[in-house]
Amino acid sequence: MLSIKTEVPTKDLRIRKVLSKLFQSYIYTALDDKEHEGYRHPNGKVFKSMNFKIAYIGNEIRAKYVALNPENEKKLAQYMLMNSLKLGEIHLTRTVISILERNSKIKSPMRVGGFVTVAIKDRNNSKRKIYLEPKSEEFQEKIHKNIIEKYEALFGKKYEGELKIRVIDQKPHAKIFYYSKGVIKAWYGVYEIEANEDMLRLILDTGMGSNAMKGVGFVELVKPKVKREVGEDG
């Protein structure tokens, strides 16, 4: 995983609503065209083999980028070091890049957290999307189907292992994300996942849900909360 931090000259650059689109475009510029095109499932759906999250906080832009193929992480890091980070017409030269290992100790069950999205068409307005909450049964059915199809598209074979995705926690309020001129609605959730190693790695390196490579779906390992016993010191 790449961790990226860069300083910007002001807290008020008017790029927040297009930040994900600009960073996505930069990534695709650095990598082979195949990664932009994605990987097609036999049913016609196209999946991406990577994901990212990005935020503009104070006078810093912070991003994390992951890829199923670690060579793409190296390519992006090298491209950024050679060409600087460019977001549209903004060149950012004070950029720090770190390569972090997070897959060496994964095991089932794995607990992750992130803003994962699932959207369905509004029956009354086909142009409008309705975003589902993680705690809903339909969300959980669709997230399971989506990750199976992504596995089949990226690995080129059927998934034959166990796969259980349980929603452990969900924040009560949704967060709005922006991509190009569109709006994406997502709730932060914590998920416990039982699966084989390839599937766990796929989830960590490509995310979950729809709108991958648009600033959502990125998940990170979280530690289970420790319950304190009654009478425990402190």
Side-chain angles (χ1 to χ4, degrees), residues 208-222:
M208 295 198 302
S210 56
N211 294 302
M213 284 300 287
K214 292 184 179 180
V216 294
F218 189 102
V219 295
E220 298 182 86
L221 293 168
V222 298

Side-chain angles (χ1 to χ4, degrees), residues 21 52 56 84 124 128 151 179 206:
K21 176 67 173 178
F52 71 89
Y56 184 4
S84 76
N124 299 317
R128 179 174 175 264
Y151 180 98
Y179 175 79
T206 68

Side-chain angles (χ1 to χ4, degrees), residues 36-183:
H36 188 187
E37 296 165 3
Y39 298 80
R40 190 174 296 276
H41 188 272
N43 65 13
K45 291 183 182 178
V46 176
F47 296 91
K48 302 299 174 71
S49 67
M50 59 189 74
N51 208 353
F52 71 89
K53 73 174 187 177
I54 191 165
Y56 184 4
I57 304 170
N59 68 332
E60 280 190 343
I61 291 176
R62 303 175 188 176
K64 290 183 178 180
Y65 166 81
V66 287
L68 189 61
N69 181 355
E71 287 301 312
N72 284 329
E73 295 180 4
K74 294 178 183 177
K75 284 181 181 179
L76 181 60
Q78 291 169 352
Y79 185 87
M80 200 173 296
L81 291 171
M82 295 292 294
N83 300 280
S84 76
L85 176 57
K86 182 180 178 183
L87 298 175
E89 298 302 318
I90 304 168
H91 288 261
L92 301 163
T93 57
R94 302 179 66 179
T95 302
V96 178
I97 306 168
S98 304
I99 298 178
L100 308 176
E101 174 57 55
R102 64 174 189 166
N103 289 1
S104 60
K105 297 180 180 180
I106 59 171
K107 61 180 181 179
S108 182
M110 174 179 77
R111 190 166 290 198
V112 296
F115 289 92
V116 177
T117 65
V118 169
I120 59 174
K121 287 185 179 180
D122 187 342
R123 294 180 178 87
N124 299 317
N125 182 356
S126 61
K127 294 182 180 180
R128 179 174 175 264
K129 290 182 178 180
I130 297 174
Y131 288 93
L132 304 176
E133 296 188 40
K135 63 184 180 182
S136 72
E137 184 176 342
E138 189 171 6
F139 177 101
Q140 293 170 41
E141 290 174 354
K142 289 186 177 298
I143 204 77
H144 189 279
K145 180 181 178 183
N146 178 273
I147 199 65
I148 290 287
E149 291 174 343
K150 182 190 284 189
Y151 180 98
E152 294 170 350
L154 298 187
F155 285 103
K157 61 182 180 181
K158 293 286 186 181
Y159 181 70
E160 298 179 349
E162 178 184 49
L163 177 61
K164 294 180 181 178
I165 303 175
R166 290 185 288 273
V167 180
I168 302 299
D169 190 23
Q170 176 200 311
K171 296 295 183 184
H173 303 295
K175 180 178 179 179
I176 298 300
F177 293 82
Y178 297 94
Y179 175 79
S180 191
K181 296 181 180 179
V183 171

